[in-house]
Amino acid sequence: QVQLQESGPGLVKPSQTLSLTCTVSGGSISSGSYYWSWIRQPAGKGLEWIGRIYTSGSTNYNPSLKSRVTISVDTSKNQFSLKLSSVTAADTAVYYCARGAEYSSSWAFDYWGQGTLVTVSS
Amino acid sequence: AIQMTQSPSSLSASVGDRVTITCRASQGIRNDLGWYQQKPGKAPKLLIYAASSLQSGVPSRFSGSGSGTDFTLTISSLQPEDFATYYCLQDYNYAFTFGGGTKVEIK
């Protein structure tokens, strides 16, 4: 059973860089045709896709965040990471990591982390 | 970027009711759409992929339909555990987008 777990600081100061790591267990991050994504959700609001990475290192980002986002993968640690620069209070949210898998030529997020709250405040 | 317009944003229904939620894409996305259920304080859960395929372990009262720009999630007989928020997600291109969500509440 694949499990994902987010980790990182729960409080980040404005203008600084938010850094989170997702640790994958129950399977190798580099096996199979999967991509690994970050998704966030401000309190009481909807879901926003941030970006994804394949284990090849290829990435895609939400155009609205692209200038501030970097997603990387460390296959030796079975982890992938998110960096979001120049944060403001608008970046306060629960951040989820998730696995994307191919289903019938479509893709879907079939495994999710439990989510971690990141607050941007001085 | 493809916009996903989900409706209604909320609805009240009773146990046993048939519930329908729709998502409309701003351009054609073939059948590259999934539906997710989220309960308070929990991560979303995949219900439907490729517009109409039921994820393993999901009750058969959930069904999805549609192609192109218009999609529907139907719950044939609402159960107490189905009260939650539902989201559609398009995965047609490299910039995925979620619908705004539909909160299903108890009438």
Side-chain angles (χ1 to χ4, degrees), chain A residues 35 41 45-47 49 52 60 63 96 103-104 106-109 112-113, chain B residues 31-32 36 38 42-44 46 49-50 55 87 89 91 94-96 98:
Chain A
Y35 62 79
Q41 184 172 38
K45 296 188 178 181
L47 299 162
W49 177 75
R52 67 176 178 178
N60 302 105
Y96 295 99
Y103 289 81
S104 301
S106 188
W107 290 84
F109 296 121
W112 294 68
Chain B
N31 69 335
D32 293 335
Y36 295 79
Q38 187 180 34
K42 299 294 186 181
L46 175 64
Y49 61 89
Q55 171 68 339
Y87 294 92
L89 170 68
D91 62 281
Y94 295 126
F96 298 176
F98 286 93

PDB file of all heavy atoms in Angstrom, chain A residues 35 41 45-47 49 52 60 63 96 103-104 106-109 112-113, chain B residues 31-32 36 38 42-44 46 49-50 55 87 89 91 94-96 98:
ATOM      1  N   TYR A  35       3.426  10.180 -11.940  1.00  0.00           N
ATOM      2  CA  TYR A  35       3.985  11.489 -11.668  1.00  0.00           C
ATOM      3  C   TYR A  35       3.594  11.872 -10.250  1.00  0.00           C
ATOM      4  O   TYR A  35       2.689  11.292  -9.653  1.00  0.00           O
ATOM      5  CB  TYR A  35       3.538  12.533 -12.693  1.00  0.00           C
ATOM      6  CG  TYR A  35       2.047  12.784 -12.750  1.00  0.00           C
ATOM      7  CD1 TYR A  35       1.413  13.593 -11.813  1.00  0.00           C
ATOM      8  CD2 TYR A  35       1.269  12.225 -13.766  1.00  0.00           C
ATOM      9  CE1 TYR A  35       0.052  13.822 -11.865  1.00  0.00           C
ATOM     10  CE2 TYR A  35      -0.090  12.458 -13.828  1.00  0.00           C
ATOM     11  CZ  TYR A  35      -0.697  13.259 -12.877  1.00  0.00           C
ATOM     12  OH  TYR A  35      -2.043  13.491 -12.936  1.00  0.00           O
ATOM     13  N   GLN A  41      -4.843  23.891  -0.675  1.00  0.00           N
ATOM     14  CA  GLN A  41      -6.226  24.258  -0.387  1.00  0.00           C
ATOM     15  C   GLN A  41      -6.269  25.277   0.740  1.00  0.00           C
ATOM     16  O   GLN A  41      -6.065  24.914   1.913  1.00  0.00           O
ATOM     17  CB  GLN A  41      -7.037  23.010  -0.013  1.00  0.00           C
ATOM     18  CG  GLN A  41      -8.514  23.276   0.203  1.00  0.00           C
ATOM     19  CD  GLN A  41      -9.290  21.976   0.386  1.00  0.00           C
ATOM     20  OE1 GLN A  41      -8.820  21.030   1.020  1.00  0.00           O
ATOM     21  NE2 GLN A  41     -10.482  21.917  -0.173  1.00  0.00           N
ATOM     22  N   LYS A  45     -11.706  26.888   1.191  1.00  0.00           N
ATOM     23  CA  LYS A  45     -11.755  27.119  -0.255  1.00  0.00           C
ATOM     24  C   LYS A  45     -11.474  25.828  -1.026  1.00  0.00           C
ATOM     25  O   LYS A  45     -11.325  24.760  -0.442  1.00  0.00           O
ATOM     26  CB  LYS A  45     -10.755  28.210  -0.636  1.00  0.00           C
ATOM     27  CG  LYS A  45     -11.100  29.563  -0.030  1.00  0.00           C
ATOM     28  CD  LYS A  45     -10.216  30.656  -0.576  1.00  0.00           C
ATOM     29  CE  LYS A  45     -10.615  32.006   0.005  1.00  0.00           C
ATOM     30  NZ  LYS A  45      -9.765  33.104  -0.536  1.00  0.00           N
ATOM     31  N   GLY A  46     -11.416  25.958  -2.342  1.00  0.00           N
ATOM     32  CA  GLY A  46     -11.246  24.801  -3.197  1.00  0.00           C
ATOM     33  C   GLY A  46      -9.789  24.394  -3.379  1.00  0.00           C
ATOM     34  O   GLY A  46      -8.869  24.969  -2.805  1.00  0.00           O
ATOM     35  N   LEU A  47      -9.614  23.373  -4.197  1.00  0.00           N
ATOM     36  CA  LEU A  47      -8.306  22.789  -4.455  1.00  0.00           C
ATOM     37  C   LEU A  47      -7.612  23.494  -5.613  1.00  0.00           C
ATOM     38  O   LEU A  47      -8.254  23.876  -6.598  1.00  0.00           O
ATOM     39  CB  LEU A  47      -8.478  21.299  -4.794  1.00  0.00           C
ATOM     40  CG  LEU A  47      -9.103  20.449  -3.693  1.00  0.00           C
ATOM     41  CD1 LEU A  47      -9.636  19.144  -4.270  1.00  0.00           C
ATOM     42  CD2 LEU A  47      -8.084  20.170  -2.595  1.00  0.00           C
ATOM     43  N   TRP A  49      -4.174  22.939  -8.091  1.00  0.00           N
ATOM     44  CA  TRP A  49      -3.024  22.151  -8.494  1.00  0.00           C
ATOM     45  C   TRP A  49      -1.822  23.064  -8.631  1.00  0.00           C
ATOM     46  O   TRP A  49      -1.900  24.124  -9.262  1.00  0.00           O
ATOM     47  CB  TRP A  49      -3.334  21.459  -9.812  1.00  0.00           C
ATOM     48  CG  TRP A  49      -2.217  20.665 -10.389  1.00  0.00           C
ATOM     49  CD1 TRP A  49      -1.767  19.456  -9.963  1.00  0.00           C
ATOM     50  CD2 TRP A  49      -1.403  21.025 -11.502  1.00  0.00           C
ATOM     51  NE1 TRP A  49      -0.720  19.038 -10.753  1.00  0.00           N
ATOM     52  CE2 TRP A  49      -0.483  19.979 -11.706  1.00  0.00           C
ATOM     53  CE3 TRP A  49      -1.358  22.128 -12.361  1.00  0.00           C
ATOM     54  CZ2 TRP A  49       0.467  19.998 -12.724  1.00  0.00           C
ATOM     55  CZ3 TRP A  49      -0.425  22.150 -13.382  1.00  0.00           C
ATOM     56  CH2 TRP A  49       0.486  21.088 -13.551  1.00  0.00           C
ATOM     57  N   ARG A  52       3.666  19.206 -11.045  1.00  0.00           N
ATOM     58  CA  ARG A  52       3.968  17.786 -10.983  1.00  0.00           C
ATOM     59  C   ARG A  52       5.364  17.530 -11.531  1.00  0.00           C
ATOM     60  O   ARG A  52       5.910  18.347 -12.286  1.00  0.00           O
ATOM     61  CB  ARG A  52       2.958  16.985 -11.788  1.00  0.00           C
ATOM     62  CG  ARG A  52       3.017  17.230 -13.295  1.00  0.00           C
ATOM     63  CD  ARG A  52       2.061  16.320 -14.037  1.00  0.00           C
ATOM     64  NE  ARG A  52       2.081  16.570 -15.477  1.00  0.00           N
ATOM     65  CZ  ARG A  52       1.378  15.892 -16.359  1.00  0.00           C
ATOM     66  NH1 ARG A  52       0.587  14.905 -15.962  1.00  0.00           N
ATOM     67  NH2 ARG A  52       1.436  16.184 -17.640  1.00  0.00           N
ATOM     68  N   ASN A  60       5.840  20.071 -14.826  1.00  0.00           N
ATOM     69  CA  ASN A  60       4.812  20.980 -15.322  1.00  0.00           C
ATOM     70  C   ASN A  60       4.266  21.755 -14.138  1.00  0.00           C
ATOM     71  O   ASN A  60       4.078  21.164 -13.065  1.00  0.00           O
ATOM     72  CB  ASN A  60       3.662  20.226 -16.002  1.00  0.00           C
ATOM     73  CG  ASN A  60       4.102  19.378 -17.159  1.00  0.00           C
ATOM     74  OD1 ASN A  60       4.161  18.164 -17.052  1.00  0.00           O
ATOM     75  ND2 ASN A  60       4.406  20.008 -18.270  1.00  0.00           N
ATOM     76  N   PRO A  63       0.353  27.651 -14.407  1.00  0.00           N
ATOM     77  CA  PRO A  63       0.863  28.917 -14.968  1.00  0.00           C
ATOM     78  C   PRO A  63       0.795  30.087 -13.992  1.00  0.00           C
ATOM     79  O   PRO A  63       1.652  30.975 -14.029  1.00  0.00           O
ATOM     80  CB  PRO A  63      -0.053  29.153 -16.176  1.00  0.00           C
ATOM     81  CG  PRO A  63      -0.520  27.797 -16.564  1.00  0.00           C
ATOM     82  CD  PRO A  63      -0.649  27.029 -15.280  1.00  0.00           C
ATOM     83  N   TYR A  96      -1.047  19.416  -0.032  1.00  0.00           N
ATOM     84  CA  TYR A  96      -1.095  17.974  -0.206  1.00  0.00           C
ATOM     85  C   TYR A  96      -0.085  17.534  -1.253  1.00  0.00           C
ATOM     86  O   TYR A  96       0.104  18.215  -2.275  1.00  0.00           O
ATOM     87  CB  TYR A  96      -2.474  17.530  -0.709  1.00  0.00           C
ATOM     88  CG  TYR A  96      -3.628  17.744   0.226  1.00  0.00           C
ATOM     89  CD1 TYR A  96      -4.481  18.841   0.082  1.00  0.00           C
ATOM     90  CD2 TYR A  96      -3.909  16.836   1.246  1.00  0.00           C
ATOM     91  CE1 TYR A  96      -5.571  19.029   0.918  1.00  0.00           C
ATOM     92  CE2 TYR A  96      -4.999  17.014   2.087  1.00  0.00           C
ATOM     93  CZ  TYR A  96      -5.816  18.113   1.919  1.00  0.00           C
ATOM     94  OH  TYR A  96      -6.894  18.284   2.762  1.00  0.00           O
ATOM     95  N   TYR A 103      -4.821   5.957 -15.977  1.00  0.00           N
ATOM     96  CA  TYR A 103      -5.976   5.077 -15.995  1.00  0.00           C
ATOM     97  C   TYR A 103      -6.682   5.272 -17.334  1.00  0.00           C
ATOM     98  O   TYR A 103      -7.225   6.348 -17.601  1.00  0.00           O
ATOM     99  CB  TYR A 103      -6.957   5.420 -14.873  1.00  0.00           C
ATOM    100  CG  TYR A 103      -6.503   5.085 -13.481  1.00  0.00           C
ATOM    101  CD1 TYR A 103      -5.634   5.924 -12.788  1.00  0.00           C
ATOM    102  CD2 TYR A 103      -6.959   3.947 -12.839  1.00  0.00           C
ATOM    103  CE1 TYR A 103      -5.237   5.620 -11.496  1.00  0.00           C
ATOM    104  CE2 TYR A 103      -6.579   3.633 -11.542  1.00  0.00           C
ATOM    105  CZ  TYR A 103      -5.711   4.476 -10.873  1.00  0.00           C
ATOM    106  OH  TYR A 103      -5.324   4.176  -9.597  1.00  0.00           O
ATOM    107  N   SER A 104      -6.662   4.250 -18.163  1.00  0.00           N
ATOM    108  CA  SER A 104      -7.393   4.298 -19.434  1.00  0.00           C
ATOM    109  C   SER A 104      -7.062   5.552 -20.235  1.00  0.00           C
ATOM    110  O   SER A 104      -7.948   6.270 -20.680  1.00  0.00           O
ATOM    111  CB  SER A 104      -8.907   4.246 -19.186  1.00  0.00           C
ATOM    112  OG  SER A 104      -9.274   3.084 -18.510  1.00  0.00           O
ATOM    113  N   SER A 106      -6.157   8.270 -19.309  1.00  0.00           N
ATOM    114  CA  SER A 106      -6.382   9.490 -18.555  1.00  0.00           C
ATOM    115  C   SER A 106      -5.546   9.381 -17.292  1.00  0.00           C
ATOM    116  O   SER A 106      -5.022   8.319 -16.990  1.00  0.00           O
ATOM    117  CB  SER A 106      -7.869   9.616 -18.224  1.00  0.00           C
ATOM    118  OG  SER A 106      -8.164  10.863 -17.662  1.00  0.00           O
ATOM    119  N   TRP A 107      -5.424  10.489 -16.596  1.00  0.00           N
ATOM    120  CA  TRP A 107      -4.609  10.480 -15.388  1.00  0.00           C
ATOM    121  C   TRP A 107      -5.476  10.828 -14.193  1.00  0.00           C
ATOM    122  O   TRP A 107      -6.449  11.578 -14.309  1.00  0.00           O
ATOM    123  CB  TRP A 107      -3.460  11.486 -15.508  1.00  0.00           C
ATOM    124  CG  TRP A 107      -2.427  11.066 -16.491  1.00  0.00           C
ATOM    125  CD1 TRP A 107      -2.446  11.251 -17.836  1.00  0.00           C
ATOM    126  CD2 TRP A 107      -1.224  10.355 -16.202  1.00  0.00           C
ATOM    127  NE1 TRP A 107      -1.335  10.707 -18.406  1.00  0.00           N
ATOM    128  CE2 TRP A 107      -0.556  10.160 -17.434  1.00  0.00           C
ATOM    129  CE3 TRP A 107      -0.637   9.877 -15.034  1.00  0.00           C
ATOM    130  CZ2 TRP A 107       0.669   9.501 -17.525  1.00  0.00           C
ATOM    131  CZ3 TRP A 107       0.589   9.225 -15.115  1.00  0.00           C
ATOM    132  CH2 TRP A 107       1.219   9.043 -16.348  1.00  0.00           C
ATOM    133  N   ALA A 108      -5.100  10.292 -13.034  1.00  0.00           N
ATOM    134  CA  ALA A 108      -5.864  10.585 -11.828  1.00  0.00           C
ATOM    135  C   ALA A 108      -4.953  10.501 -10.620  1.00  0.00           C
ATOM    136  O   ALA A 108      -3.963   9.767 -10.630  1.00  0.00           O
ATOM    137  CB  ALA A 108      -7.030   9.600 -11.684  1.00  0.00           C
ATOM    138  N   PHE A 109      -5.319  11.251  -9.579  1.00  0.00           N
ATOM    139  CA  PHE A 109      -4.583  11.215  -8.319  1.00  0.00           C
ATOM    140  C   PHE A 109      -5.169  10.111  -7.450  1.00  0.00           C
ATOM    141  O   PHE A 109      -6.257  10.269  -6.904  1.00  0.00           O
ATOM    142  CB  PHE A 109      -4.678  12.562  -7.609  1.00  0.00           C
ATOM    143  CG  PHE A 109      -4.028  13.689  -8.373  1.00  0.00           C
ATOM    144  CD1 PHE A 109      -4.752  14.796  -8.753  1.00  0.00           C
ATOM    145  CD2 PHE A 109      -2.686  13.634  -8.702  1.00  0.00           C
ATOM    146  CE1 PHE A 109      -4.152  15.834  -9.456  1.00  0.00           C
ATOM    147  CE2 PHE A 109      -2.084  14.669  -9.403  1.00  0.00           C
ATOM    148  CZ  PHE A 109      -2.827  15.766  -9.779  1.00  0.00           C
ATOM    149  N   TRP A 112      -2.915  10.075  -1.867  1.00  0.00           N
ATOM    150  CA  TRP A 112      -2.707  11.426  -1.345  1.00  0.00           C
ATOM    151  C   TRP A 112      -2.050  11.348   0.026  1.00  0.00           C
ATOM    152  O   TRP A 112      -2.278  10.408   0.787  1.00  0.00           O
ATOM    153  CB  TRP A 112      -4.039  12.138  -1.165  1.00  0.00           C
ATOM    154  CG  TRP A 112      -4.803  12.429  -2.425  1.00  0.00           C
ATOM    155  CD1 TRP A 112      -5.392  11.512  -3.266  1.00  0.00           C
ATOM    156  CD2 TRP A 112      -5.098  13.711  -2.962  1.00  0.00           C
ATOM    157  NE1 TRP A 112      -6.027  12.156  -4.291  1.00  0.00           N
ATOM    158  CE2 TRP A 112      -5.868  13.514  -4.137  1.00  0.00           C
ATOM    159  CE3 TRP A 112      -4.812  15.023  -2.583  1.00  0.00           C
ATOM    160  CZ2 TRP A 112      -6.329  14.573  -4.915  1.00  0.00           C
ATOM    161  CZ3 TRP A 112      -5.282  16.072  -3.360  1.00  0.00           C
ATOM    162  CH2 TRP A 112      -6.028  15.849  -4.525  1.00  0.00           C
ATOM    163  N   GLY A 113      -1.271  12.367   0.344  1.00  0.00           N
ATOM    164  CA  GLY A 113      -0.829  12.543   1.711  1.00  0.00           C
ATOM    165  C   GLY A 113      -1.977  13.099   2.546  1.00  0.00           C
ATOM    166  O   GLY A 113      -3.031  13.456   2.024  1.00  0.00           O
TER     167      GLY A 113
ATOM    168  N   ASN B  31     -12.247  12.907 -22.639  1.00  0.00           N
ATOM    169  CA  ASN B  31     -12.818  12.343 -21.403  1.00  0.00           C
ATOM    170  C   ASN B  31     -11.809  12.443 -20.267  1.00  0.00           C
ATOM    171  O   ASN B  31     -11.824  11.634 -19.339  1.00  0.00           O
ATOM    172  CB  ASN B  31     -13.246  10.889 -21.622  1.00  0.00           C
ATOM    173  CG  ASN B  31     -12.062   9.965 -21.817  1.00  0.00           C
ATOM    174  OD1 ASN B  31     -10.982  10.389 -22.235  1.00  0.00           O
ATOM    175  ND2 ASN B  31     -12.227   8.694 -21.503  1.00  0.00           N
ATOM    176  N   ASP B  32     -10.934  13.440 -20.332  1.00  0.00           N
ATOM    177  CA  ASP B  32      -9.848  13.559 -19.354  1.00  0.00           C
ATOM    178  C   ASP B  32     -10.324  14.302 -18.101  1.00  0.00           C
ATOM    179  O   ASP B  32      -9.886  15.415 -17.784  1.00  0.00           O
ATOM    180  CB  ASP B  32      -8.654  14.274 -19.986  1.00  0.00           C
ATOM    181  CG  ASP B  32      -8.005  13.434 -21.079  1.00  0.00           C
ATOM    182  OD1 ASP B  32      -8.135  12.190 -21.022  1.00  0.00           O
ATOM    183  OD2 ASP B  32      -7.388  14.009 -21.992  1.00  0.00           O
ATOM    184  N   TYR B  36     -13.620  13.708  -7.469  1.00  0.00           N
ATOM    185  CA  TYR B  36     -13.041  13.449  -6.155  1.00  0.00           C
ATOM    186  C   TYR B  36     -14.036  13.846  -5.071  1.00  0.00           C
ATOM    187  O   TYR B  36     -14.780  14.817  -5.226  1.00  0.00           O
ATOM    188  CB  TYR B  36     -11.747  14.247  -5.982  1.00  0.00           C
ATOM    189  CG  TYR B  36     -10.666  13.811  -6.950  1.00  0.00           C
ATOM    190  CD1 TYR B  36     -10.681  14.244  -8.267  1.00  0.00           C
ATOM    191  CD2 TYR B  36      -9.656  12.932  -6.554  1.00  0.00           C
ATOM    192  CE1 TYR B  36      -9.711  13.827  -9.166  1.00  0.00           C
ATOM    193  CE2 TYR B  36      -8.680  12.506  -7.450  1.00  0.00           C
ATOM    194  CZ  TYR B  36      -8.715  12.962  -8.750  1.00  0.00           C
ATOM    195  OH  TYR B  36      -7.763  12.542  -9.642  1.00  0.00           O
ATOM    196  N   GLN B  38     -14.253  14.878  -0.999  1.00  0.00           N
ATOM    197  CA  GLN B  38     -13.456  15.328   0.139  1.00  0.00           C
ATOM    198  C   GLN B  38     -14.346  15.544   1.361  1.00  0.00           C
ATOM    199  O   GLN B  38     -15.341  16.275   1.281  1.00  0.00           O
ATOM    200  CB  GLN B  38     -12.694  16.608  -0.180  1.00  0.00           C
ATOM    201  CG  GLN B  38     -11.727  17.015   0.930  1.00  0.00           C
ATOM    202  CD  GLN B  38     -10.972  18.286   0.634  1.00  0.00           C
ATOM    203  OE1 GLN B  38     -11.490  19.203   0.003  1.00  0.00           O
ATOM    204  NE2 GLN B  38      -9.720  18.350   1.088  1.00  0.00           N
ATOM    205  N   LYS B  42      -9.901  15.951   5.649  1.00  0.00           N
ATOM    206  CA  LYS B  42      -9.315  14.797   4.986  1.00  0.00           C
ATOM    207  C   LYS B  42      -8.835  15.147   3.581  1.00  0.00           C
ATOM    208  O   LYS B  42      -9.291  16.122   2.977  1.00  0.00           O
ATOM    209  CB  LYS B  42     -10.329  13.651   4.887  1.00  0.00           C
ATOM    210  CG  LYS B  42     -10.831  13.148   6.234  1.00  0.00           C
ATOM    211  CD  LYS B  42      -9.733  12.485   7.039  1.00  0.00           C
ATOM    212  CE  LYS B  42     -10.276  11.856   8.315  1.00  0.00           C
ATOM    213  NZ  LYS B  42      -9.192  11.237   9.112  1.00  0.00           N
ATOM    214  N   ALA B  43      -7.939  14.330   3.063  1.00  0.00           N
ATOM    215  CA  ALA B  43      -7.512  14.485   1.680  1.00  0.00           C
ATOM    216  C   ALA B  43      -8.622  14.031   0.740  1.00  0.00           C
ATOM    217  O   ALA B  43      -9.453  13.178   1.101  1.00  0.00           O
ATOM    218  CB  ALA B  43      -6.256  13.664   1.421  1.00  0.00           C
ATOM    219  N   PRO B  44      -8.663  14.582  -0.458  1.00  0.00           N
ATOM    220  CA  PRO B  44      -9.637  14.101  -1.444  1.00  0.00           C
ATOM    221  C   PRO B  44      -9.425  12.622  -1.763  1.00  0.00           C
ATOM    222  O   PRO B  44      -8.325  12.090  -1.621  1.00  0.00           O
ATOM    223  CB  PRO B  44      -9.354  14.981  -2.668  1.00  0.00           C
ATOM    224  CG  PRO B  44      -8.744  16.218  -2.106  1.00  0.00           C
ATOM    225  CD  PRO B  44      -7.901  15.733  -0.951  1.00  0.00           C
ATOM    226  N   LEU B  46     -10.288   9.695  -4.820  1.00  0.00           N
ATOM    227  CA  LEU B  46     -10.677   9.490  -6.215  1.00  0.00           C
ATOM    228  C   LEU B  46     -11.925   8.612  -6.296  1.00  0.00           C
ATOM    229  O   LEU B  46     -11.959   7.519  -5.740  1.00  0.00           O
ATOM    230  CB  LEU B  46      -9.519   8.832  -6.976  1.00  0.00           C
ATOM    231  CG  LEU B  46      -9.779   8.426  -8.424  1.00  0.00           C
ATOM    232  CD1 LEU B  46     -10.054   9.649  -9.302  1.00  0.00           C
ATOM    233  CD2 LEU B  46      -8.588   7.629  -8.968  1.00  0.00           C
ATOM    234  N   TYR B  49     -12.535   8.132 -12.751  1.00  0.00           N
ATOM    235  CA  TYR B  49     -11.489   8.598 -13.649  1.00  0.00           C
ATOM    236  C   TYR B  49     -11.941   8.408 -15.088  1.00  0.00           C
ATOM    237  O   TYR B  49     -12.897   7.673 -15.358  1.00  0.00           O
ATOM    238  CB  TYR B  49     -10.162   7.864 -13.381  1.00  0.00           C
ATOM    239  CG  TYR B  49     -10.251   6.368 -13.601  1.00  0.00           C
ATOM    240  CD1 TYR B  49      -9.999   5.795 -14.851  1.00  0.00           C
ATOM    241  CD2 TYR B  49     -10.575   5.512 -12.554  1.00  0.00           C
ATOM    242  CE1 TYR B  49     -10.079   4.433 -15.045  1.00  0.00           C
ATOM    243  CE2 TYR B  49     -10.657   4.140 -12.738  1.00  0.00           C
ATOM    244  CZ  TYR B  49     -10.409   3.613 -13.995  1.00  0.00           C
ATOM    245  OH  TYR B  49     -10.491   2.257 -14.191  1.00  0.00           O
ATOM    246  N   ALA B  50     -11.261   9.094 -15.991  1.00  0.00           N
ATOM    247  CA  ALA B  50     -11.619   9.031 -17.418  1.00  0.00           C
ATOM    248  C   ALA B  50     -13.118   9.251 -17.620  1.00  0.00           C
ATOM    249  O   ALA B  50     -13.759   8.567 -18.413  1.00  0.00           O
ATOM    250  CB  ALA B  50     -11.174   7.706 -18.031  1.00  0.00           C
ATOM    251  N   GLN B  55     -13.511   4.061  -9.806  1.00  0.00           N
ATOM    252  CA  GLN B  55     -12.294   3.626  -9.136  1.00  0.00           C
ATOM    253  C   GLN B  55     -12.594   2.386  -8.292  1.00  0.00           C
ATOM    254  O   GLN B  55     -13.679   2.249  -7.700  1.00  0.00           O
ATOM    255  CB  GLN B  55     -11.735   4.762  -8.277  1.00  0.00           C
ATOM    256  CG  GLN B  55     -10.578   4.403  -7.358  1.00  0.00           C
ATOM    257  CD  GLN B  55      -9.287   4.071  -8.091  1.00  0.00           C
ATOM    258  OE1 GLN B  55      -9.284   3.724  -9.258  1.00  0.00           O
ATOM    259  NE2 GLN B  55      -8.171   4.191  -7.390  1.00  0.00           N
ATOM    260  N   TYR B  87     -15.323  17.469  -6.143  1.00  0.00           N
ATOM    261  CA  TYR B  87     -14.567  18.281  -7.091  1.00  0.00           C
ATOM    262  C   TYR B  87     -14.355  17.501  -8.389  1.00  0.00           C
ATOM    263  O   TYR B  87     -14.061  16.303  -8.362  1.00  0.00           O
ATOM    264  CB  TYR B  87     -13.184  18.638  -6.536  1.00  0.00           C
ATOM    265  CG  TYR B  87     -13.188  19.534  -5.331  1.00  0.00           C
ATOM    266  CD1 TYR B  87     -13.192  19.008  -4.048  1.00  0.00           C
ATOM    267  CD2 TYR B  87     -13.177  20.925  -5.474  1.00  0.00           C
ATOM    268  CE1 TYR B  87     -13.188  19.834  -2.939  1.00  0.00           C
ATOM    269  CE2 TYR B  87     -13.168  21.759  -4.365  1.00  0.00           C
ATOM    270  CZ  TYR B  87     -13.173  21.200  -3.106  1.00  0.00           C
ATOM    271  OH  TYR B  87     -13.178  22.024  -1.999  1.00  0.00           O
ATOM    272  N   LEU B  89     -11.813  17.404 -11.809  1.00  0.00           N
ATOM    273  CA  LEU B  89     -10.440  17.775 -12.157  1.00  0.00           C
ATOM    274  C   LEU B  89     -10.187  17.384 -13.595  1.00  0.00           C
ATOM    275  O   LEU B  89     -10.372  16.227 -13.958  1.00  0.00           O
ATOM    276  CB  LEU B  89      -9.443  17.055 -11.249  1.00  0.00           C
ATOM    277  CG  LEU B  89      -7.972  17.165 -11.673  1.00  0.00           C
ATOM    278  CD1 LEU B  89      -7.465  18.584 -11.526  1.00  0.00           C
ATOM    279  CD2 LEU B  89      -7.099  16.200 -10.874  1.00  0.00           C
ATOM    280  N   ASP B  91      -7.572  16.728 -16.601  1.00  0.00           N
ATOM    281  CA  ASP B  91      -6.172  16.394 -16.796  1.00  0.00           C
ATOM    282  C   ASP B  91      -5.844  16.312 -18.279  1.00  0.00           C
ATOM    283  O   ASP B  91      -5.021  15.505 -18.701  1.00  0.00           O
ATOM    284  CB  ASP B  91      -5.841  15.079 -16.071  1.00  0.00           C
ATOM    285  CG  ASP B  91      -6.619  13.901 -16.612  1.00  0.00           C
ATOM    286  OD1 ASP B  91      -7.800  13.760 -16.256  1.00  0.00           O
ATOM    287  OD2 ASP B  91      -6.044  13.109 -17.386  1.00  0.00           O
ATOM    288  N   TYR B  94      -1.231  19.968 -19.727  1.00  0.00           N
ATOM    289  CA  TYR B  94      -0.216  19.936 -18.687  1.00  0.00           C
ATOM    290  C   TYR B  94      -0.474  20.914 -17.546  1.00  0.00           C
ATOM    291  O   TYR B  94       0.349  21.034 -16.649  1.00  0.00           O
ATOM    292  CB  TYR B  94       1.153  20.208 -19.301  1.00  0.00           C
ATOM    293  CG  TYR B  94       1.586  19.132 -20.254  1.00  0.00           C
ATOM    294  CD1 TYR B  94       1.970  19.439 -21.558  1.00  0.00           C
ATOM    295  CD2 TYR B  94       1.583  17.795 -19.866  1.00  0.00           C
ATOM    296  CE1 TYR B  94       2.364  18.452 -22.433  1.00  0.00           C
ATOM    297  CE2 TYR B  94       1.970  16.801 -20.743  1.00  0.00           C
ATOM    298  CZ  TYR B  94       2.369  17.124 -22.016  1.00  0.00           C
ATOM    299  OH  TYR B  94       2.750  16.142 -22.888  1.00  0.00           O
ATOM    300  N   ALA B  95      -1.602  21.574 -17.582  1.00  0.00           N
ATOM    301  CA  ALA B  95      -1.971  22.476 -16.482  1.00  0.00           C
ATOM    302  C   ALA B  95      -3.328  22.042 -15.968  1.00  0.00           C
ATOM    303  O   ALA B  95      -4.359  22.481 -16.449  1.00  0.00           O
ATOM    304  CB  ALA B  95      -2.005  23.927 -16.966  1.00  0.00           C
ATOM    305  N   PHE B  96      -3.297  21.173 -14.991  1.00  0.00           N
ATOM    306  CA  PHE B  96      -4.544  20.622 -14.483  1.00  0.00           C
ATOM    307  C   PHE B  96      -5.344  21.697 -13.765  1.00  0.00           C
ATOM    308  O   PHE B  96      -4.784  22.598 -13.143  1.00  0.00           O
ATOM    309  CB  PHE B  96      -4.255  19.503 -13.483  1.00  0.00           C
ATOM    310  CG  PHE B  96      -3.510  18.335 -14.055  1.00  0.00           C
ATOM    311  CD1 PHE B  96      -3.115  17.297 -13.216  1.00  0.00           C
ATOM    312  CD2 PHE B  96      -3.205  18.237 -15.394  1.00  0.00           C
ATOM    313  CE1 PHE B  96      -2.434  16.203 -13.719  1.00  0.00           C
ATOM    314  CE2 PHE B  96      -2.522  17.147 -15.913  1.00  0.00           C
ATOM    315  CZ  PHE B  96      -2.136  16.134 -15.054  1.00  0.00           C
ATOM    316  N   PHE B  98      -8.981  22.218 -11.206  1.00  0.00           N
ATOM    317  CA  PHE B  98     -10.122  21.697 -10.473  1.00  0.00           C
ATOM    318  C   PHE B  98     -11.334  22.587 -10.702  1.00  0.00           C
ATOM    319  O   PHE B  98     -11.208  23.799 -10.915  1.00  0.00           O
ATOM    320  CB  PHE B  98      -9.826  21.693  -8.968  1.00  0.00           C
ATOM    321  CG  PHE B  98      -8.870  20.633  -8.507  1.00  0.00           C
ATOM    322  CD1 PHE B  98      -7.514  20.913  -8.414  1.00  0.00           C
ATOM    323  CD2 PHE B  98      -9.313  19.367  -8.144  1.00  0.00           C
ATOM    324  CE1 PHE B  98      -6.618  19.944  -7.976  1.00  0.00           C
ATOM    325  CE2 PHE B  98      -8.432  18.394  -7.708  1.00  0.00           C
ATOM    326  CZ  PHE B  98      -7.078  18.683  -7.617  1.00  0.00           C
TER     327      PHE B  98
END
